[in-house]
Amino acid sequence: MALQGPEELGEQVEEPEDLDDQDASSISPAEEITLPPGPGGDEETEEAVLLPWDRFSAWLHCICVVGFDLELGQAVEVRQKDPAGSCKLTGKTSICYLSFPDSNSGCLGDTQFCFRFRQGSNKKSSLGSFLETSDRDAPPCLKREQGHYYGYVYFRQVRDKTLKRGYFQKSLVLISKLPYVTFFHSLLKIMAPEYFEKQEPCLEAACNDIDRWPTPHPGRILTLPIMGVVIKVRIPTCYDKPGTSQLVQSAQSDSLVSIVLPTIHEVDLFRCFYPVFFHIQMLWELVLLGEALVVMAPSPAESSDTVLALVSCISPLRYCSDFRPYFTIHDSEFKEYTTRTQAPPSVILGVTNPFFAKTLQHWPHIIRIGDMKQAGEMAKQMKVKKLKNLKTLDSKPGVYTAYKPYLNKDEEIIKQLQKGVQQKRPSAAQNAILRRYFLELTQSFIIPLERYVASLMPLQKSISPWKSPPQLRPFIQQDFMKTLEKAGPQLTSRLKGDWIGLYRHFLKSPNFDGWFRNRRREMTQKLEALHLEALCEEDLQQRIQRHTEVETVDLVLKLKDKLSQAEREQLPVRPGTLPKLRAHIQSIIQTLPEDLQGILHKPSTP
């Protein structure tokens, strides 16, 4: 049974529904709002313009409860969302299966994991533009995804003789576009035990608490009350120094805070990679190059954590291909991702079902994770195994691949981590060492690319206010390769190897394509901003004296278009530029006849 809304718990939803399938009556009046820019936006203005359930929607899409029915199998029992009734998801069956561990996992007690699924993007709404504004300053890895949702799961399985099946099996699932894995898992640890004890009224209270939260603007430190507990978090920005936490604890202001989260999204890399940490450098290369990878693990918790660790190991570079922290045979993309008629796609899958050991045998890189050991136990050094040796999911843990790394193995990091295990170094310290290692490795790789791409930017003196902004010069692979001889990664990394080969392979990958598209967009916007600033510095009144009336009207229309573009694309112009441009437009309009003034004062239609 699927129930909709905190105040409407009783209507069954039988057919899968499309998120985009909304009629006009379900669109919130909040679509008329305008939003404060950036992390330093006016919070009072925000409070005034947001309507009921807008704050909830900024954090979560909906909350589901998935139970086990003897006749139907997994089924959505409750779905909590705003009373407007706009929470509609495709592939509800798939979500049900993703919310439960495979039967072979044997997860008794409480288990937490996450999954990610494809979903058509929403129709445009004003809340959407509000979220785009708050997303502007988010790091690449924390921006909302248009085509995918995350599901954060708290699954409980305990013996119960009163039930026919003999077990109580239920999952509380938070559906969100936000990749705040650590935050939502912490939130579920508070919500789920209360829900399993008190049922629906408890969820309704939690929804009301969340709808009173401020929106997740990058750069803000937020205190978030939920069910009698207060969580303190800071949403990172793209301007933060990588590898640092900006959240400072204050004894005076934190007297009412129950939980302080130093990170909202980072997983414990050392714990996740521990079973295969002799191969971490090779895994970094495989993720960087967007290779098809499958993680076979005994439980969804280990599967999802390992996939998330793989995706984050190339940070601050964004992983631009698809990844599924937990993937099942019921997933809508199962046939697409397991077909043998074409090469495996650029995707990282996390699986637990033994069936995948046979179905994905043709995949080029397979990571087999056993039960994750405690940090005090030493992992045995394992050689990379041949794919033909992988028969079943019971095969020994290790990395099964024929891949030959481009870079020589870094023995120093392995020795450092091994020494930490022997000396019983805290897991948090081991995690920090490994995260710093990956960060420095990725930065050493990406700095030469950043330096070359910056050289494609036209000189500022070539920008004329009365000509179109100049174009970026094209990215030429041969020219970039020539720069590596004197300004390559050898300047910042001690690693030796075939860096040139690694770059050649990377330039063909989805990660390069995604990174370069983003950099090109940023640089094009910078050129537009510089052009706009140059235009504002001109003496436009003197200019129009040489213009005919028709030319003056044309200039006004072009300036209004530039202003509209700057506001729509949030161009990075200097403070005061847009008010100055508005003043220019007004002063030019004043020079025209009254009938034209009336026409030009009307707001332009988008």
Side-chain angles (χ1 to χ4, degrees):
M1 183 170 66
L3 305 172
Q4 176 84 15
E7 298 170 7
E8 304 173 29
L9 302 174
E11 182 185 351
Q12 183 168 352
V13 179
E14 297 176 354
E15 295 297 323
E17 299 164 294
D18 195 321
L19 184 72
D20 293 337
D21 186 21
Q22 302 182 39
D23 57 33
S25 63
S26 70
I27 297 175
S28 167
E31 296 195 3
E32 300 300 322
I33 66 175
T34 55
L35 298 146
D42 186 339
E43 292 187 52
E44 289 184 8
T45 306
E46 176 187 315
E47 294 298 312
V49 296
L50 290 177
L51 297 179
W53 300 108
D54 280 348
R55 294 174 189 80
F56 178 96
S57 297
W59 289 90
L60 292 171
H61 183 68
C62 60
I63 301 176
C64 300
V65 176
V66 180
F68 191 90
D69 185 285
L70 277 175
E71 295 179 3
L72 301 175
Q74 286 97 315
V76 176
E77 295 179 351
V78 176
R79 192 170 77 231
Q80 293 272 1
K81 174 62 168 124
D82 61 293
S86 61
C87 177
K88 297 178 181 179
L89 291 167
T90 58
K92 224 184 267 87
T93 303
S94 178
I95 293 170
C96 288
Y97 281 107
L98 287 167
S99 300
F100 266 48
D102 281 317
S103 56
N104 66 291
S105 298
C107 298
L108 273 175
D110 293 352
T111 303
Q112 285 189 259
F113 59 94
C114 84
F115 58 85
R116 184 171 174 267
F117 62 100
R118 197 180 290 172
Q119 177 74 54
S121 58
N122 294 356
K123 289 183 179 178
K124 267 288 190 193
S125 69
S126 66
L127 184 62
S129 61
F130 180 85
L131 300 179
E132 285 172 15
T133 305
S134 66
D135 249 9
R136 181 185 59 186
D137 296 316
C141 64
L142 290 185
K143 293 184 186 293
R144 287 174 179 80
E145 297 191 33
Q146 294 307 310
H148 292 85
Y149 280 83
Y150 289 83
Y152 300 98
V153 182
Y154 192 107
F155 170 72
R156 174 168 288 184
Q157 177 170 265
V158 292
R159 294 185 185 278
D160 188 339
K161 294 180 180 178
T162 63
L163 300 175
K164 287 184 180 180
R165 190 174 172 82
Y167 287 93
F168 171 88
Q169 295 173 308
K170 197 163 284 192
S171 287
L172 182 61
V173 187
L174 308 180
I175 304 291
S176 175
K177 279 186 176 289
L178 297 171
Y180 299 173
V181 57
T182 308
F183 169 75
F184 284 119
H185 280 333
S186 300
L187 184 62
L188 277 169
K189 283 179 183 174
I190 298 166
M191 291 175 59
E194 286 281 312
Y195 166 73
F196 290 133
E197 183 181 337
K198 299 175 183 175
Q199 302 300 306
E200 278 80 23
C202 173
L203 277 192
E204 185 178 343
C207 288
N208 287 320
D209 282 344
I210 294 169
D211 194 46
R212 286 192 284 268
W213 289 359
T215 54
H217 274 295
R220 286 187 187 168
I221 294 176
L222 308 176
T223 50
L224 310 172
I226 181 77
M227 301 170 79
V229 175
V230 178
I231 305 174
K232 181 179 179 181
V233 298
R234 179 185 179 275
I235 311 299
T237 77
C238 56
Y239 310 110
D240 295 346
K241 184 180 178 181
T244 61
S245 173
Q246 305 289 324
L247 187 57
V248 179
Q249 203 163 347
S250 164
Q252 186 176 1
S253 60
D254 289 354
S255 57
L256 300 176
V257 173
S258 316
I259 300 169
V260 178
L261 292 179
T263 175
I264 59 169
H265 66 289
E266 293 174 347
V267 295
D268 187 335
L269 290 182
F270 180 69
R271 184 181 64 83
C272 295
F273 284 130
Y274 192 76
V276 290
F277 85 80
F278 289 100
H279 310 301
I280 52 174
Q281 191 180 314
M282 181 178 68
L283 295 176
W284 174 83
E285 284 191 24
L286 292 173
V287 176
L288 180 76
L289 300 174
E291 289 287 310
L293 265 168
V294 60
V295 175
M296 297 183 174
S299 76
E302 289 156 332
S303 154
S304 62
D305 281 355
T306 305
V307 171
L308 292 171
L310 287 166
V311 168
S312 70
C313 78
I314 60 169
S315 181
L317 194 65
R318 179 172 187 164
Y319 182 76
C320 296
S321 296
D322 196 5
F323 62 96
R324 303 302 174 91
Y326 177 49
F327 190 77
T328 75
I329 59 175
H330 303 283
D331 197 286
S332 55
E333 279 79 54
F334 174 75
K335 287 184 179 179
E336 176 186 340
Y337 286 163
T338 57
T339 179
R340 290 174 181 261
T341 58
Q342 58 191 36
S346 176
V347 62
I348 302 177
L349 298 182
V351 302
T352 62
N353 194 319
F355 180 71
F356 282 107
K358 183 177 180 181
T359 311
L360 299 179
Q361 236 178 353
H362 62 294
W363 275 45
H365 320 291
I366 297 173
I367 304 169
R368 171 74 176 96
I369 300 290
D371 291 319
M372 287 186 178
K373 301 176 181 180
Q374 296 300 313
E377 298 179 50
M378 283 296 290
K380 295 177 181 178
Q381 182 160 4
M382 298 169 290
K383 292 182 180 179
V384 175
K385 304 179 191 318
K386 294 179 181 177
L387 284 164
K388 65 180 182 181
N389 294 336
L390 185 70
K391 304 292 186 189
T392 67
L393 203 59
D394 297 325
S395 300
K396 291 181 179 179
V399 179
Y400 295 76
T401 180
Y403 178 80
K404 295 287 195 313
Y406 286 96
L407 303 182
N408 300 340
K409 193 167 188 176
D410 189 343
E411 299 290 349
E412 289 298 316
I413 185 66
I414 301 298
K415 289 176 184 175
Q416 193 177 2
L417 292 172
Q418 281 183 309
K419 186 177 180 182
V421 172
Q422 291 164 349
Q423 295 178 346
K424 293 185 166 51
R425 186 185 292 147
S427 181
Q430 294 279 80
N431 178 50
I433 290 169
L434 188 53
R435 189 169 291 281
R436 170 59 57 180
Y437 168 76
F438 281 133
L439 175 63
E440 291 175 353
L441 188 55
T442 304
Q443 286 179 327
S444 292
F445 181 81
I446 212 72
I447 284 170
L449 278 161
E450 290 280 7
R451 189 182 291 117
Y452 173 73
V453 168
S455 74
L456 305 179
M457 188 83 162
L459 295 175
Q460 189 163 348
K461 65 182 181 182
S462 67
I463 297 173
S464 166
W466 304 112
K467 295 179 182 178
S468 296
Q471 298 293 307
L472 292 173
R473 288 189 289 278
F475 187 105
I476 300 172
Q477 182 173 329
Q478 288 179 333
D479 290 351
F480 166 66
M481 291 299 179
K482 288 175 186 175
T483 68
L484 296 176
E485 186 178 344
K486 291 183 178 178
Q490 70 274 11
L491 297 179
T492 52
S493 176
R494 65 176 180 265
L495 284 181
K496 306 294 183 184
D498 184 10
W499 284 99
I500 300 290
L502 185 61
Y503 278 111
R504 280 207 179 95
H505 195 156
F506 176 72
L507 294 180
K508 300 173 186 174
S509 74
N511 287 331
F512 169 73
D513 184 62
W515 172 82
F516 184 61
R517 282 172 184 268
N518 186 57
R519 292 293 290 117
R520 187 169 53 192
R521 182 176 63 251
E522 290 173 352
M523 293 166 72
T524 302
Q525 287 186 336
K526 182 62 178 174
L527 284 172
E528 291 284 356
L530 290 171
H531 182 255
L532 195 59
E533 289 167 8
L535 200 55
C536 285
E537 295 304 317
E538 288 290 297
D539 187 346
L540 299 181
Q541 285 291 346
Q542 186 179 358
R543 180 91 181 179
I544 62 171
Q545 288 175 8
R546 303 194 299 269
H547 280 189
T548 64
E549 192 175 278
V550 172
E551 288 172 330
T552 302
V553 170
D554 186 55
L555 176 62
V556 170
L557 294 176
K558 285 180 178 176
L559 290 175
K560 291 182 87 170
D561 281 345
K562 295 288 284 185
L563 180 63
S564 176
Q565 178 194 10
E567 292 173 334
R568 182 177 65 252
E569 298 181 11
Q570 300 168 2
L571 295 181
V573 292
R574 287 196 302 260
T577 300
L578 298 188
K580 196 172 183 179
L581 183 60
R582 290 190 193 98
H584 277 318
I585 293 171
Q586 287 300 109
S587 64
I588 295 172
I589 291 176
Q590 294 299 324
T591 66
L592 293 166
E594 285 188 13
D595 57 336
L596 283 176
Q597 287 186 34
I599 294 170
L600 292 173
H601 274 306
K602 289 181 180 179
S604 57
T605 54

